[in-house]
mmCIF file with all atom_site columns, all heavy atoms in Angstrom:
data_model
loop_
_atom_site.group_PDB
_atom_site.id
_atom_site.type_symbol
_atom_site.label_atom_id
_atom_site.label_alt_id
_atom_site.label_comp_id
_atom_site.label_asym_id
_atom_site.label_entity_id
_atom_site.label_seq_id
_atom_site.pdbx_PDB_ins_code
_atom_site.Cartn_x
_atom_site.Cartn_y
_atom_site.Cartn_z
_atom_site.occupancy
_atom_site.B_iso_or_equiv
_atom_site.pdbx_formal_charge
_atom_site.auth_seq_id
_atom_site.auth_comp_id
_atom_site.auth_asym_id
_atom_site.auth_atom_id
_atom_site.pdbx_PDB_model_num
ATOM 1   N N   . GLY A 1 1  ? 98.772  -25.924 -17.801 1.00 92.00 ? 1  GLY A N   1
ATOM 2   C CA  . GLY A 1 1  ? 100.210 -25.935 -18.073 1.00 92.00 ? 1  GLY A CA  1
ATOM 3   C C   . GLY A 1 1  ? 100.912 -24.632 -17.743 1.00 92.00 ? 1  GLY A C   1
ATOM 4   O O   . GLY A 1 1  ? 102.141 -24.553 -17.840 1.00 92.00 ? 1  GLY A O   1
ATOM 5   N N   . ARG A 1 2  ? 100.149 -23.609 -17.366 1.00 94.00 ? 2  ARG A N   1
ATOM 6   C CA  . ARG A 1 2  ? 100.766 -22.327 -17.009 1.00 94.00 ? 2  ARG A CA  1
ATOM 7   C C   . ARG A 1 2  ? 101.217 -22.334 -15.554 1.00 94.00 ? 2  ARG A C   1
ATOM 8   O O   . ARG A 1 2  ? 100.748 -23.111 -14.735 1.00 94.00 ? 2  ARG A O   1
ATOM 9   C CB  . ARG A 1 2  ? 99.775  -21.174 -17.252 1.00 94.00 ? 2  ARG A CB  1
ATOM 10  C CG  . ARG A 1 2  ? 99.243  -21.091 -18.675 1.00 94.00 ? 2  ARG A CG  1
ATOM 11  C CD  . ARG A 1 2  ? 100.339 -20.796 -19.679 1.00 94.00 ? 2  ARG A CD  1
ATOM 12  N NE  . ARG A 1 2  ? 99.837  -20.730 -21.035 1.00 94.00 ? 2  ARG A NE  1
ATOM 13  C CZ  . ARG A 1 2  ? 99.353  -19.638 -21.623 1.00 94.00 ? 2  ARG A CZ  1
ATOM 14  N NH1 . ARG A 1 2  ? 99.283  -18.509 -20.940 1.00 94.00 ? 2  ARG A NH1 1
ATOM 15  N NH2 . ARG A 1 2  ? 98.933  -19.678 -22.877 1.00 94.00 ? 2  ARG A NH2 1
ATOM 16  N N   . SER A 1 3  ? 102.115 -21.426 -15.216 1.00 94.00 ? 3  SER A N   1
ATOM 17  C CA  . SER A 1 3  ? 102.605 -21.322 -13.841 1.00 94.00 ? 3  SER A CA  1
ATOM 18  C C   . SER A 1 3  ? 101.544 -20.676 -12.948 1.00 94.00 ? 3  SER A C   1
ATOM 19  O O   . SER A 1 3  ? 100.606 -20.024 -13.426 1.00 94.00 ? 3  SER A O   1
ATOM 20  C CB  . SER A 1 3  ? 103.873 -20.472 -13.801 1.00 94.00 ? 3  SER A CB  1
ATOM 21  O OG  . SER A 1 3  ? 103.570 -19.117 -14.124 1.00 94.00 ? 3  SER A OG  1
ATOM 22  N N   . VAL A 1 4  ? 101.715 -20.863 -11.655 1.00 92.00 ? 4  VAL A N   1
ATOM 23  C CA  . VAL A 1 4  ? 100.800 -20.237 -10.693 1.00 92.00 ? 4  VAL A CA  1
ATOM 24  C C   . VAL A 1 4  ? 100.809 -18.722 -10.881 1.00 92.00 ? 4  VAL A C   1
ATOM 25  O O   . VAL A 1 4  ? 99.752  -18.067 -10.875 1.00 92.00 ? 4  VAL A O   1
ATOM 26  C CB  . VAL A 1 4  ? 101.187 -20.607 -9.251  1.00 92.00 ? 4  VAL A CB  1
ATOM 27  C CG1 . VAL A 1 4  ? 100.295 -19.863 -8.245  1.00 92.00 ? 4  VAL A CG1 1
ATOM 28  C CG2 . VAL A 1 4  ? 101.085 -22.102 -9.039  1.00 92.00 ? 4  VAL A CG2 1
ATOM 29  N N   . HIS A 1 5  ? 101.982 -18.152 -11.059 1.00 90.00 ? 5  HIS A N   1
ATOM 30  C CA  . HIS A 1 5  ? 102.101 -16.702 -11.231 1.00 90.00 ? 5  HIS A CA  1
ATOM 31  C C   . HIS A 1 5  ? 101.317 -16.230 -12.460 1.00 90.00 ? 5  HIS A C   1
ATOM 32  O O   . HIS A 1 5  ? 100.605 -15.219 -12.407 1.00 90.00 ? 5  HIS A O   1
ATOM 33  C CB  . HIS A 1 5  ? 103.572 -16.308 -11.358 1.00 90.00 ? 5  HIS A CB  1
ATOM 34  C CG  . HIS A 1 5  ? 103.803 -14.832 -11.465 1.00 90.00 ? 5  HIS A CG  1
ATOM 35  N ND1 . HIS A 1 5  ? 103.656 -13.984 -10.397 1.00 90.00 ? 5  HIS A ND1 1
ATOM 36  C CD2 . HIS A 1 5  ? 104.166 -14.050 -12.532 1.00 90.00 ? 5  HIS A CD2 1
ATOM 37  C CE1 . HIS A 1 5  ? 103.912 -12.745 -10.778 1.00 90.00 ? 5  HIS A CE1 1
ATOM 38  N NE2 . HIS A 1 5  ? 104.227 -12.766 -12.063 1.00 90.00 ? 5  HIS A NE2 1
ATOM 39  N N   . THR A 1 6  ? 101.432 -16.964 -13.553 1.00 94.00 ? 6  THR A N   1
ATOM 40  C CA  . THR A 1 6  ? 100.710 -16.600 -14.775 1.00 94.00 ? 6  THR A CA  1
ATOM 41  C C   . THR A 1 6  ? 99.205  -16.697 -14.564 1.00 94.00 ? 6  THR A C   1
ATOM 42  O O   . THR A 1 6  ? 98.439  -15.844 -15.036 1.00 94.00 ? 6  THR A O   1
ATOM 43  C CB  . THR A 1 6  ? 101.137 -17.518 -15.932 1.00 94.00 ? 6  THR A CB  1
ATOM 44  O OG1 . THR A 1 6  ? 102.542 -17.378 -16.149 1.00 94.00 ? 6  THR A OG1 1
ATOM 45  C CG2 . THR A 1 6  ? 100.387 -17.168 -17.214 1.00 94.00 ? 6  THR A CG2 1
ATOM 46  N N   . ILE A 1 7  ? 98.769  -17.733 -13.840 1.00 95.00 ? 7  ILE A N   1
ATOM 47  C CA  . ILE A 1 7  ? 97.338  -17.903 -13.591 1.00 95.00 ? 7  ILE A CA  1
ATOM 48  C C   . ILE A 1 7  ? 96.804  -16.777 -12.715 1.00 95.00 ? 7  ILE A C   1
ATOM 49  O O   . ILE A 1 7  ? 95.717  -16.238 -12.962 1.00 95.00 ? 7  ILE A O   1
ATOM 50  C CB  . ILE A 1 7  ? 97.088  -19.289 -12.954 1.00 95.00 ? 7  ILE A CB  1
ATOM 51  C CG1 . ILE A 1 7  ? 97.372  -20.394 -13.989 1.00 95.00 ? 7  ILE A CG1 1
ATOM 52  C CG2 . ILE A 1 7  ? 95.664  -19.406 -12.421 1.00 95.00 ? 7  ILE A CG2 1
ATOM 53  C CD1 . ILE A 1 7  ? 97.391  -21.789 -13.411 1.00 95.00 ? 7  ILE A CD1 1
ATOM 54  N N   . LEU A 1 8  ? 97.571  -16.390 -11.702 1.00 92.00 ? 8  LEU A N   1
ATOM 55  C CA  . LEU A 1 8  ? 97.156  -15.253 -10.873 1.00 92.00 ? 8  LEU A CA  1
ATOM 56  C C   . LEU A 1 8  ? 97.075  -13.981 -11.705 1.00 92.00 ? 8  LEU A C   1
ATOM 57  O O   . LEU A 1 8  ? 96.114  -13.199 -11.588 1.00 92.00 ? 8  LEU A O   1
ATOM 58  C CB  . LEU A 1 8  ? 98.133  -15.060 -9.718  1.00 92.00 ? 8  LEU A CB  1
ATOM 59  C CG  . LEU A 1 8  ? 98.150  -16.152 -8.636  1.00 92.00 ? 8  LEU A CG  1
ATOM 60  C CD1 . LEU A 1 8  ? 99.307  -15.924 -7.671  1.00 92.00 ? 8  LEU A CD1 1
ATOM 61  C CD2 . LEU A 1 8  ? 96.830  -16.182 -7.875  1.00 92.00 ? 8  LEU A CD2 1
ATOM 62  N N   . GLU A 1 9  ? 98.058  -13.762 -12.583 1.00 91.00 ? 9  GLU A N   1
ATOM 63  C CA  . GLU A 1 9  ? 98.058  -12.564 -13.427 1.00 91.00 ? 9  GLU A CA  1
ATOM 64  C C   . GLU A 1 9  ? 96.911  -12.575 -14.435 1.00 91.00 ? 9  GLU A C   1
ATOM 65  O O   . GLU A 1 9  ? 96.456  -11.516 -14.875 1.00 91.00 ? 9  GLU A O   1
ATOM 66  C CB  . GLU A 1 9  ? 99.388  -12.444 -14.172 1.00 91.00 ? 9  GLU A CB  1
ATOM 67  C CG  . GLU A 1 9  ? 100.545 -11.965 -13.296 1.00 91.00 ? 9  GLU A CG  1
ATOM 68  C CD  . GLU A 1 9  ? 101.742 -11.540 -14.129 1.00 91.00 ? 9  GLU A CD  1
ATOM 69  O OE1 . GLU A 1 9  ? 101.933 -12.134 -15.223 1.00 91.00 ? 9  GLU A OE1 1
ATOM 70  O OE2 . GLU A 1 9  ? 102.476 -10.627 -13.710 1.00 91.00 ? 9  GLU A OE2 1
ATOM 71  N N   . ALA A 1 10 ? 96.435  -13.771 -14.785 1.00 94.00 ? 10 ALA A N   1
ATOM 72  C CA  . ALA A 1 10 ? 95.315  -13.882 -15.723 1.00 94.00 ? 10 ALA A CA  1
ATOM 73  C C   . ALA A 1 10 ? 93.988  -13.484 -15.095 1.00 94.00 ? 10 ALA A C   1
ATOM 74  O O   . ALA A 1 10 ? 92.978  -13.362 -15.797 1.00 94.00 ? 10 ALA A O   1
ATOM 75  C CB  . ALA A 1 10 ? 95.229  -15.305 -16.270 1.00 94.00 ? 10 ALA A CB  1
ATOM 76  N N   . GLY A 1 11 ? 93.990  -13.289 -13.766 1.00 94.00 ? 11 GLY A N   1
ATOM 77  C CA  . GLY A 1 11 ? 92.776  -12.815 -13.106 1.00 94.00 ? 11 GLY A CA  1
ATOM 78  C C   . GLY A 1 11 ? 92.090  -13.837 -12.232 1.00 94.00 ? 11 GLY A C   1
ATOM 79  O O   . GLY A 1 11 ? 90.864  -13.796 -12.080 1.00 94.00 ? 11 GLY A O   1
ATOM 80  N N   . VAL A 1 12 ? 92.865  -14.737 -11.633 1.00 96.00 ? 12 VAL A N   1
ATOM 81  C CA  . VAL A 1 12 ? 92.292  -15.745 -10.744 1.00 96.00 ? 12 VAL A CA  1
ATOM 82  C C   . VAL A 1 12 ? 92.680  -15.432 -9.303  1.00 96.00 ? 12 VAL A C   1
ATOM 83  O O   . VAL A 1 12 ? 93.860  -15.248 -8.992  1.00 96.00 ? 12 VAL A O   1
ATOM 84  C CB  . VAL A 1 12 ? 92.772  -17.164 -11.119 1.00 96.00 ? 12 VAL A CB  1
ATOM 85  C CG1 . VAL A 1 12 ? 92.152  -18.203 -10.172 1.00 96.00 ? 12 VAL A CG1 1
ATOM 86  C CG2 . VAL A 1 12 ? 92.421  -17.494 -12.566 1.00 96.00 ? 12 VAL A CG2 1
ATOM 87  N N   . GLY A 1 13 ? 91.684  -15.364 -8.438  1.00 94.00 ? 13 GLY A N   1
ATOM 88  C CA  . GLY A 1 13 ? 91.918  -15.229 -7.005  1.00 94.00 ? 13 GLY A CA  1
ATOM 89  C C   . GLY A 1 13 ? 91.723  -16.581 -6.350  1.00 94.00 ? 13 GLY A C   1
ATOM 90  O O   . GLY A 1 13 ? 90.818  -17.330 -6.722  1.00 94.00 ? 13 GLY A O   1
ATOM 91  N N   . PHE A 1 14 ? 92.561  -16.898 -5.352  1.00 94.00 ? 14 PHE A N   1
ATOM 92  C CA  . PHE A 1 14 ? 92.545  -18.242 -4.790  1.00 94.00 ? 14 PHE A CA  1
ATOM 93  C C   . PHE A 1 14 ? 92.600  -18.195 -3.272  1.00 94.00 ? 14 PHE A C   1
ATOM 94  O O   . PHE A 1 14 ? 93.550  -17.674 -2.678  1.00 94.00 ? 14 PHE A O   1
ATOM 95  C CB  . PHE A 1 14 ? 93.750  -19.029 -5.332  1.00 94.00 ? 14 PHE A CB  1
ATOM 96  C CG  . PHE A 1 14 ? 93.829  -20.460 -4.863  1.00 94.00 ? 14 PHE A CG  1
ATOM 97  C CD1 . PHE A 1 14 ? 92.706  -21.268 -4.832  1.00 94.00 ? 14 PHE A CD1 1
ATOM 98  C CD2 . PHE A 1 14 ? 95.043  -20.989 -4.445  1.00 94.00 ? 14 PHE A CD2 1
ATOM 99  C CE1 . PHE A 1 14 ? 92.775  -22.590 -4.407  1.00 94.00 ? 14 PHE A CE1 1
ATOM 100 C CE2 . PHE A 1 14 ? 95.139  -22.315 -4.013  1.00 94.00 ? 14 PHE A CE2 1
ATOM 101 C CZ  . PHE A 1 14 ? 94.007  -23.119 -4.000  1.00 94.00 ? 14 PHE A CZ  1
ATOM 102 N N   . VAL A 1 15 ? 91.569  -18.741 -2.633  1.00 93.00 ? 15 VAL A N   1
ATOM 103 C CA  . VAL A 1 15 ? 91.549  -18.934 -1.187  1.00 93.00 ? 15 VAL A CA  1
ATOM 104 C C   . VAL A 1 15 ? 91.771  -20.427 -0.954  1.00 93.00 ? 15 VAL A C   1
ATOM 105 O O   . VAL A 1 15 ? 90.876  -21.236 -1.156  1.00 93.00 ? 15 VAL A O   1
ATOM 106 C CB  . VAL A 1 15 ? 90.207  -18.497 -0.572  1.00 93.00 ? 15 VAL A CB  1
ATOM 107 C CG1 . VAL A 1 15 ? 90.206  -18.740 0.942   1.00 93.00 ? 15 VAL A CG1 1
ATOM 108 C CG2 . VAL A 1 15 ? 89.934  -17.032 -0.873  1.00 93.00 ? 15 VAL A CG2 1
ATOM 109 N N   . PRO A 1 16 ? 92.988  -20.843 -0.548  1.00 92.00 ? 16 PRO A N   1
ATOM 110 C CA  . PRO A 1 16 ? 93.292  -22.271 -0.426  1.00 92.00 ? 16 PRO A CA  1
ATOM 111 C C   . PRO A 1 16 ? 92.626  -22.898 0.791   1.00 92.00 ? 16 PRO A C   1
ATOM 112 O O   . PRO A 1 16 ? 92.223  -22.193 1.725   1.00 92.00 ? 16 PRO A O   1
ATOM 113 C CB  . PRO A 1 16 ? 94.819  -22.302 -0.293  1.00 92.00 ? 16 PRO A CB  1
ATOM 114 C CG  . PRO A 1 16 ? 95.154  -20.986 0.313   1.00 92.00 ? 16 PRO A CG  1
ATOM 115 C CD  . PRO A 1 16 ? 94.143  -20.000 -0.206  1.00 92.00 ? 16 PRO A CD  1
ATOM 116 N N   . GLU A 1 17 ? 92.517  -24.231 0.779   1.00 88.00 ? 17 GLU A N   1
ATOM 117 C CA  . GLU A 1 17 ? 91.804  -24.897 1.864   1.00 88.00 ? 17 GLU A CA  1
ATOM 118 C C   . GLU A 1 17 ? 92.601  -24.912 3.166   1.00 88.00 ? 17 GLU A C   1
ATOM 119 O O   . GLU A 1 17 ? 92.017  -25.071 4.237   1.00 88.00 ? 17 GLU A O   1
ATOM 120 C CB  . GLU A 1 17 ? 91.410  -26.314 1.465   1.00 88.00 ? 17 GLU A CB  1
ATOM 121 C CG  . GLU A 1 17 ? 92.535  -27.278 1.194   1.00 88.00 ? 17 GLU A CG  1
ATOM 122 C CD  . GLU A 1 17 ? 92.012  -28.652 0.812   1.00 88.00 ? 17 GLU A CD  1
ATOM 123 O OE1 . GLU A 1 17 ? 91.287  -28.774 -0.191  1.00 88.00 ? 17 GLU A OE1 1
ATOM 124 O OE2 . GLU A 1 17 ? 92.333  -29.605 1.525   1.00 88.00 ? 17 GLU A OE2 1
ATOM 125 N N   . ASP A 1 18 ? 93.908  -24.749 3.101   1.00 85.00 ? 18 ASP A N   1
ATOM 126 C CA  . ASP A 1 18 ? 94.727  -24.696 4.313   1.00 85.00 ? 18 ASP A CA  1
ATOM 127 C C   . ASP A 1 18 ? 95.431  -23.349 4.363   1.00 85.00 ? 18 ASP A C   1
ATOM 128 O O   . ASP A 1 18 ? 96.471  -23.144 3.755   1.00 85.00 ? 18 ASP A O   1
ATOM 129 C CB  . ASP A 1 18 ? 95.755  -25.831 4.324   1.00 85.00 ? 18 ASP A CB  1
ATOM 130 C CG  . ASP A 1 18 ? 96.464  -25.973 5.675   1.00 85.00 ? 18 ASP A CG  1
ATOM 131 O OD1 . ASP A 1 18 ? 96.596  -24.946 6.370   1.00 85.00 ? 18 ASP A OD1 1
ATOM 132 O OD2 . ASP A 1 18 ? 96.861  -27.094 6.021   1.00 85.00 ? 18 ASP A OD2 1
ATOM 133 N N   . ARG A 1 19 ? 94.848  -22.432 5.101   1.00 86.00 ? 19 ARG A N   1
ATOM 134 C CA  . ARG A 1 19 ? 95.368  -21.063 5.117   1.00 86.00 ? 19 ARG A CA  1
ATOM 135 C C   . ARG A 1 19 ? 96.747  -20.968 5.752   1.00 86.00 ? 19 ARG A C   1
ATOM 136 O O   . ARG A 1 19 ? 97.558  -20.143 5.360   1.00 86.00 ? 19 ARG A O   1
ATOM 137 C CB  . ARG A 1 19 ? 94.399  -20.135 5.849   1.00 86.00 ? 19 ARG A CB  1
ATOM 138 C CG  . ARG A 1 19 ? 94.125  -20.540 7.282   1.00 86.00 ? 19 ARG A CG  1
ATOM 139 C CD  . ARG A 1 19 ? 93.136  -19.612 7.976   1.00 86.00 ? 19 ARG A CD  1
ATOM 140 N NE  . ARG A 1 19 ? 92.677  -20.194 9.226   1.00 86.00 ? 19 ARG A NE  1
ATOM 141 C CZ  . ARG A 1 19 ? 91.606  -20.950 9.333   1.00 86.00 ? 19 ARG A CZ  1
ATOM 142 N NH1 . ARG A 1 19 ? 90.886  -21.221 8.266   1.00 86.00 ? 19 ARG A NH1 1
ATOM 143 N NH2 . ARG A 1 19 ? 91.241  -21.458 10.494  1.00 86.00 ? 19 ARG A NH2 1
ATOM 144 N N   . THR A 1 20 ? 97.025  -21.822 6.752   1.00 83.00 ? 20 THR A N   1
ATOM 145 C CA  . THR A 1 20 ? 98.286  -21.697 7.472   1.00 83.00 ? 20 THR A CA  1
ATOM 146 C C   . THR A 1 20 ? 99.472  -22.158 6.638   1.00 83.00 ? 20 THR A C   1
ATOM 147 O O   . THR A 1 20 ? 100.583 -21.634 6.782   1.00 83.00 ? 20 THR A O   1
ATOM 148 C CB  . THR A 1 20 ? 98.251  -22.499 8.786   1.00 83.00 ? 20 THR A CB  1
ATOM 149 O OG1 . THR A 1 20 ? 97.962  -23.871 8.488   1.00 83.00 ? 20 THR A OG1 1
ATOM 150 C CG2 . THR A 1 20 ? 97.175  -21.956 9.708   1.00 83.00 ? 20 THR A CG2 1
ATOM 151 N N   . ILE A 1 21 ? 99.256  -23.149 5.757   1.00 84.00 ? 21 ILE A N   1
ATOM 152 C CA  . ILE A 1 21 ? 100.345 -23.667 4.937   1.00 84.00 ? 21 ILE A CA  1
ATOM 153 C C   . ILE A 1 21 ? 100.396 -22.999 3.574   1.00 84.00 ? 21 ILE A C   1
ATOM 154 O O   . ILE A 1 21 ? 101.458 -22.643 3.069   1.00 84.00 ? 21 ILE A O   1
ATOM 155 C CB  . ILE A 1 21 ? 100.208 -25.202 4.774   1.00 84.00 ? 21 ILE A CB  1
ATOM 156 C CG1 . ILE A 1 21 ? 100.374 -25.894 6.133   1.00 84.00 ? 21 ILE A CG1 1
ATOM 157 C CG2 . ILE A 1 21 ? 101.235 -25.746 3.772   1.00 84.00 ? 21 ILE A CG2 1
ATOM 158 C CD1 . ILE A 1 21 ? 100.154 -27.390 6.093   1.00 84.00 ? 21 ILE A CD1 1
ATOM 159 N N   . GLU A 1 22 ? 99.229  -22.794 2.952   1.00 86.00 ? 22 GLU A N   1
ATOM 160 C CA  . GLU A 1 22 ? 99.183  -22.324 1.568   1.00 86.00 ? 22 GLU A CA  1
ATOM 161 C C   . GLU A 1 22 ? 98.727  -20.885 1.420   1.00 86.00 ? 22 GLU A C   1
ATOM 162 O O   . GLU A 1 22 ? 98.933  -20.285 0.369   1.00 86.00 ? 22 GLU A O   1
ATOM 163 C CB  . GLU A 1 22 ? 98.236  -23.217 0.753   1.00 86.00 ? 22 GLU A CB  1
ATOM 164 C CG  . GLU A 1 22 ? 98.657  -24.683 0.731   1.00 86.00 ? 22 GLU A CG  1
ATOM 165 C CD  . GLU A 1 22 ? 97.583  -25.572 0.128   1.00 86.00 ? 22 GLU A CD  1
ATOM 166 O OE1 . GLU A 1 22 ? 96.387  -25.338 0.414   1.00 86.00 ? 22 GLU A OE1 1
ATOM 167 O OE2 . GLU A 1 22 ? 97.933  -26.482 -0.629  1.00 86.00 ? 22 GLU A OE2 1
ATOM 168 N N   . GLY A 1 23 ? 98.099  -20.315 2.459   1.00 89.00 ? 23 GLY A N   1
ATOM 169 C CA  . GLY A 1 23 ? 97.493  -19.004 2.304   1.00 89.00 ? 23 GLY A CA  1
ATOM 170 C C   . GLY A 1 23 ? 98.265  -17.861 2.907   1.00 89.00 ? 23 GLY A C   1
ATOM 171 O O   . GLY A 1 23 ? 98.176  -16.721 2.438   1.00 89.00 ? 23 GLY A O   1
ATOM 172 N N   . LEU A 1 24 ? 99.036  -18.150 3.954   1.00 92.00 ? 24 LEU A N   1
ATOM 173 C CA  . LEU A 1 24 ? 99.706  -17.092 4.694   1.00 92.00 ? 24 LEU A CA  1
ATOM 174 C C   . LEU A 1 24 ? 101.143 -17.472 5.019   1.00 92.00 ? 24 LEU A C   1
ATOM 175 O O   . LEU A 1 24 ? 101.488 -18.653 5.064   1.00 92.00 ? 24 LEU A O   1
ATOM 176 C CB  . LEU A 1 24 ? 98.982  -16.824 6.021   1.00 92.00 ? 24 LEU A CB  1
ATOM 177 C CG  . LEU A 1 24 ? 97.574  -16.248 5.983   1.00 92.00 ? 24 LEU A CG  1
ATOM 178 C CD1 . LEU A 1 24 ? 96.961  -16.341 7.373   1.00 92.00 ? 24 LEU A CD1 1
ATOM 179 C CD2 . LEU A 1 24 ? 97.573  -14.819 5.489   1.00 92.00 ? 24 LEU A CD2 1
#
């Protein structure tokens, strides 16, 4: 239920499956 920003700040690193759309 938390936002993406909050999850990133909580210490999660994410390499998405589609780098061109979601990663860069």
